[in-house]
Amino acid sequence: MMKKRFQLEWLWVLLIAITLFNTFLGEQFSSTALVSVLVAISVMYKGIIVIDHFMELKYANKHLRWLMRWYFIIFPSLVIATIFF
């Protein structure tokens, strides 16, 4: 139990660090296409972390888990696709 608690704390710190990194990217770079792609990819990664560890769907019904994962794969992918049009 204690090990899982510390794992969640480290994952939470990782999510905060990724968010701060995305903020840094948005403030420092003028290439909106590159920043948008990087932020969309990080949203995918962060979504999968939240689904697996904080919503505890890692060991839940595989159909429910994959439905949630596809949500965080499809919508950021659509954002990336709209950058090029």
Side-chain angles (χ1 to χ4, degrees), residues 21-76:
F21 178 71
N22 288 341
T23 305
F24 171 77
L25 285 176
E27 294 290 329
Q28 298 298 320
F29 292 97
S30 61
S31 172
T32 58
L34 176 64
V35 171
S36 297
V37 169
L38 292 175
V39 169
I41 290 171
S42 70
V43 165
M44 287 181 199
Y45 181 71
K46 288 169 58 174
I48 290 172
I49 288 176
V50 169
I51 289 166
D52 285 347
H53 298 285
F54 292 96
M55 294 177 67
E56 296 184 357
L57 291 179
K58 191 172 189 174
Y59 304 109
N61 182 320
K62 69 177 181 175
H63 299 296
L64 179 62
R65 184 178 72 239
W66 279 105
L67 183 66
M68 290 295 295
R69 281 187 176 184
W70 277 109
Y71 176 83
F72 282 103
I73 293 171
I74 290 173
F75 285 106

